[in-house]
């Protein structure tokens, strides 16, 4: 089990608020700087095809001005591949993208899309970018990620986050099994989507998860108590759950 669980802070929705006015404030790069000071281990930003939040200039500034590793979320398109190869972020997470969706509404179909994805994974891996695939916690998707040669997978936690009391435990178990299989397959395993103070603990306790990427809740919570305090509290909840899980294992 990994001792330290990394927290990647997704700053997309700082840009969403900025873009609502079409001015420069609030600046997502300032948020990234604050996130670094508050204990984030990485910055995640999704450059969407429609540029609804993060802009090309944001990616440029994040690459140039922020010391934390940048995780660029991107669709598997030639336009995004060119941008990734230009900036060479620390990591690139390939996500599915539909224009009409409000957010990334499900995992990438790595299994059905192996032929399409292969070139994107290959070219970015060759360029030294740590490629991850944002997939549902399913065996077929994990095995495809392995076949594609992606070193990392990120498990979509949306079904867990949205589950009611009857399905919550089953969804958590799906994540646990997928994380265990990822480790067996030699894949580094991350998770994210819909995580909050209320639901992060059981996910943080899952052995083999090494990184959580969290955005919407943190930016929303920052309205009430500030970004620094939201990130510190999330970090503390993650660390506490991980420490308890480690303690239970050695007991
Ligand atoms: N990970 C990935 C790959 C994502 O696309 C997103 C945003 O949908 C997140 C994590 C963060 O999700 P949220 O904003 O719900 O915390």
């Amino acid at each position: 089990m990994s001792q330290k669980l990394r927290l990647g802070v997704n700053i997309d929705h700082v840009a969403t608020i900025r873009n609502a006015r079409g001015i420069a404030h609030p600046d997502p790069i300032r948020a990234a700087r604050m996130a670094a000071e508050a204990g984030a281990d990485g910055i995640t930003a999704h450059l969407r095809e429609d540029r609804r939040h993060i802009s090309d200039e944001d990616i440029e500034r994040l690459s140039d001005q922020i010391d934390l590793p940048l995780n660029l979320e991107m669709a598997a398109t030639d336009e995004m591949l060119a941008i990734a190869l230009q900036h060479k972020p620390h990591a690139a997470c390939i996500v599915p993208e539909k224009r009409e969706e409000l957010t990334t509404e499900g995992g990438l179909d790595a299994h059905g899309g192996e032929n399409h994805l292969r070139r994107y994974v290959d070219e970015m891996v060759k360029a030294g970018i740590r490629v991850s695939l944002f997939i549902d916690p399913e065996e077929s998707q994990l095995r495809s990620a392995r076949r594609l040669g992606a070193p990392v997978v990120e498990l979509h936690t949306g079904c867990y986050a949205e589950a009611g009391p009857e399905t919550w435990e089953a969804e958590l178990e799906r994540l646990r099994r997928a994380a265990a299989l990822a480790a067996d397959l030699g894949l580094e395993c991350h998770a994210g989507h819909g995580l909050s103070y209320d639901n992060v603990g059981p996910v943080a306790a899952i052995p083999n998860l090494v990184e959580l990427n969290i955005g919407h809740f943190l930016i929303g919570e920052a309205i009430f108590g500030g970004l620094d305090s939201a990130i510190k509290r999330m970090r503390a909840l993650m660390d506490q759950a991980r420490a308890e899980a480690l303690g239970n294992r050695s007991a």
Side-chain angles (χ1 to χ4, degrees):
M1 179 188 276
S2 168
Q3 297 282 334
K4 161 100 183 179
L5 183 60
R6 294 200 304 260
L7 170 60
V9 173
N10 181 318
I11 54 164
D12 291 351
H13 296 305
V14 179
T16 303
I17 298 169
R18 174 195 62 191
N19 295 359
R21 271 293 163 96
I23 56 174
H25 182 83
D27 181 8
I29 285 68
R30 182 175 163 201
R33 246 180 240 121
M34 285 191 75
E37 280 162 23
D41 301 290
I43 299 297
T44 294
H46 185 176
L47 185 65
R48 292 189 72 104
E49 194 187 2
D50 62 9
R51 309 300 198 268
R52 71 173 69 155
H53 36 57
I54 293 295
S55 68
D56 297 66
E57 192 191 340
D58 292 331
I59 296 297
E60 226 168 276
R61 292 176 63 220
L62 285 168
S63 306
D64 294 347
Q65 299 175 24
I66 300 298
D67 290 335
L68 285 183
L70 173 63
N71 175 29
L72 172 68
E73 290 179 6
M74 53 174 273
T77 65
D78 287 352
E79 183 198 17
M80 290 301 150
L81 176 63
I83 291 169
L85 294 177
Q86 180 195 344
H87 292 293
K88 294 206 176 62
H90 165 77
C93 181
I94 303 182
V95 301
E97 205 174 288
K98 294 189 215 104
R99 261 176 199 275
E100 325 75 54
E101 70 187 357
L102 288 176
T103 177
T104 313
E105 285 166 3
L108 186 72
D109 186 6
H111 185 59
E114 265 188 49
N115 288 342
H116 173 71
L117 291 168
R118 180 157 283 110
R119 183 166 62 86
Y120 297 94
V121 175
D122 281 353
E123 290 206 29
M124 289 196 285
V125 166
K126 238 187 281 157
I129 300 168
R130 208 153 162 75
V131 176
S132 76
L133 303 181
F134 189 40
I135 55 172
D136 290 325
E138 286 168 15
E139 180 174 348
S140 60
Q141 301 297 343
L142 287 154
R143 292 197 183 279
S144 292
R146 175 83 185 111
R147 273 196 298 274
L148 282 164
V152 184
V153 289
E154 179 167 332
L155 303 178
H156 195 301
T157 51
C159 289
Y160 160 78
E162 284 155 28
E166 300 89 46
T167 52
W168 181 86
E169 185 55 44
E171 290 297 340
L172 183 60
E173 190 52 29
R174 274 178 81 203
L175 292 168
R176 287 194 191 111
R177 287 210 184 127
L181 177 59
D184 286 349
L185 293 171
L187 297 163
E188 182 174 309
C189 195
H190 302 176
H193 198 92
L195 297 177
S196 67
Y197 294 154
D198 287 341
N199 64 21
V200 77
V203 175
I206 294 177
N208 307 315
L209 277 185
V210 304
E211 179 174 308
L212 301 183
N213 283 300
I214 308 180
H216 184 268
F217 179 84
L218 287 174
I219 304 307
E221 196 59 21
I223 293 169
F224 305 109
L227 187 58
D228 180 77
S229 125
I231 292 171
K232 283 183 175 151
R233 179 148 179 227
M234 187 63 80
R235 168 93 267 160
L237 290 168
M238 287 165 54
D239 290 347
Q240 187 190 340
R242 179 53 59 104
E244 280 171 14
L246 281 169
N248 289 342
R249 281 198 142 196
S250 56

